[in-house]
Amino acid sequence: MSAVAVGLVLALGLAACGGGGAGAGNAGGGQTAAPADTLVGVAMPTQTSERWIADGNNVRQQLQQAGYQVDLQYANDDIPTQSQQIDQMITRGAKLLIVAAIDGTALSSQLQAAASQGIKVIAYDRLIRSTPNVDFYVTFDNFQVGVAQANALLTGLGYKQENGQPGPKQGPSVIELFGGSIDDNNALYFYNGAMSVLKPLIDNGTLVVKSNQTALEQIAILRWQQETAQKRMEDLLTSSYADGTVINGVLSPYDGISRGIITALQNAGYGTPAKPLPTVTGQDAEIASVNLISTGVQSSTIFKDTRKLAEQAVNASKSFLSGQTPQPNDTTSYNNGVKVVPSFLLPVQTVYRDNITPVLVDTGYYTPDEIAKGQSS
Ligand code: BGC
């Protein structure tokens, strides 16, 4: 086939996807009007983090617009509660489940029950592990999230510039590492992505982890909790920094964890002209952290547009509910221990103080007023 012909085939293939997405690959996918009594169960982990509130609202709104009934539940980060909620969705007659799991391995029996009744299951943002009964996965490129966090750390420390070019910094820096919840598959991807960038620099002495805690098991923060992160940072300051060594950077995988780290550092005297706060990374562009970035307290975050993730979940739902199969854009990365789950991955963006406006304001995600207040209105 000539290069021109290949280009044409690719262009037609892309056009068939209707603007790119997890909708059915064949024409007409998702066009069928939803019967008004079709119930979709949406299981979200917690309302303590605003990203999940936005995810839940976006998914519900977009499903309702498409004509479906929606049962949206939050589980307060409690595994038995989430299992029970999914049981109830099945009992109420849900025809499809969208699940952001708390513990990626804890839902096998619920999903077995779903499968035996022909209910399709879409894993939302977090992979559901150790079960054959997950049909599709919509998420962001989680390895790249970790790479982006590590690059943002190196940028804050001065080894790199925001455009990826080398920065002015020479000589070593002292850092600490934080990881996500060990039962969330994403935590491993974020860690592996970050370590693909940081490990060579730790090994050659450019980055010094003074606590020597670099394994995911040592740095993980169960359920991504801010208070747990604050406590670990306090413990690190006591155990490894009592000699007065100054910390230059902290790799943090999530904005709530970042705020816990920052509080511990501020309580220990960081955040003055004589002793500036270290570079602290983040994830999710939570409004409280965007406020901290706008005032130079937190260094960066990774923006994941939950509106777009909801859209992919809804596209995939429409495909399944009209008897078709959604179109993945990744069929190799996410092995859940039983099978490789066909996935649709979205890209992410790093936010620093100087690109808050184009990335978060101009796209309508936050208003300048919300950022100034550090609160969504
Ligand atoms: C999500 C992150 C989020 C974290 C804590 C992860 O599974 O991918 O976006 O920061 O959970 O809620």
Side-chain angles (χ1 to χ4, degrees), residues 45-46 49 51-52 55 77 101 124-127 137 139-140 142 145 149 180-181 184-187 190 223-224 253-257 283-284 286 302 304:
T46 177
S49 154
R51 87 146 276 193
W52 299 114
D55 283 288
D77 260 344
Y124 186 91
D125 193 75
R126 299 174 170 174
L127 186 62
Y137 180 34
T139 190
F140 294 88
N142 294 305
V145 170
Q149 288 171 333
S181 192
D184 178 348
N185 191 59
N186 285 354
F190 301 154
R223 302 281 125 73
W224 307 87
Y254 155 57
D255 285 343
I257 290 179
Q283 174 172 204
D284 290 343
E286 291 199 336
I302 308 298
K304 299 161 84 169

Side-chain angles (χ1 to χ4, degrees), residues 294-345:
S294 75
T295 54
V297 174
Q298 186 172 318
S299 176
S300 62
T301 188
I302 308 298
F303 174 50
K304 299 161 84 169
D305 193 333
T306 52
R307 298 168 298 192
K308 293 194 174 146
L309 188 61
E311 194 179 313
Q312 293 309 328
V314 172
N315 283 348
S317 303
K318 287 180 186 168
S319 291
F320 279 132
L321 290 168
S322 57
Q324 300 178 25
T325 307
Q327 182 112 344
N329 66 3
D330 183 298
T331 51
T332 54
S333 302
Y334 289 96
N335 188 325
N336 79 346
V338 175
K339 67 177 196 184
V340 176
V341 182
S343 306
F344 194 91
L345 310 187

Side-chain angles (χ1 to χ4, degrees), residues 69-80:
Q69 303 282 327
V70 181
D71 181 5
L72 168 64
Q73 299 292 337
Y74 286 90
N76 201 20
D77 260 344
D78 183 56
I79 298 164

Side-chain angles (χ1 to χ4, degrees), residues 78-100:
D78 183 56
I79 298 164
T81 303
Q82 187 164 60
S83 306
Q84 206 177 33
Q85 288 174 337
I86 294 174
D87 281 335
Q88 280 166 1
M89 289 168 185
I90 296 172
T91 311
R92 283 185 204 133
K95 297 281 182 291
L96 179 131
L97 299 173
I98 297 176
V99 180

Side-chain angles (χ1 to χ4, degrees), residues 163-246:
N163 62 13
Q165 295 298 308
K169 170 79 179 164
Q170 303 284 330
S173 297
V174 177
I175 64 163
E176 290 296 338
L177 307 175
F178 280 67
S181 192
I182 203 87
D183 52 7
D184 178 348
N185 191 59
N186 285 354
L188 181 65
Y189 279 73
F190 301 154
Y191 173 79
N192 285 341
M195 287 311 254
S196 72
V197 176
L198 299 181
K199 187 163 185 306
L201 298 171
I202 294 173
D203 290 346
N204 75 14
T206 304
L207 299 176
V208 180
V209 182
K210 190 146 188 288
S211 68
N212 273 321
Q213 297 183 14
T214 56
L216 181 57
E217 296 69 30
Q218 293 174 303
I219 66 172
I221 299 296
L222 190 65
R223 302 281 125 73
W224 307 87
Q225 283 198 352
Q226 180 165 340
E227 303 72 25
T228 312
Q230 181 177 336
K231 173 79 170 56
R232 174 164 184 261
M233 190 72 242
E234 286 164 359
D235 291 347
L236 286 173
L237 288 166
T238 311
S239 59
S240 303
Y241 293 88
D243 63 1
T245 303
V246 167

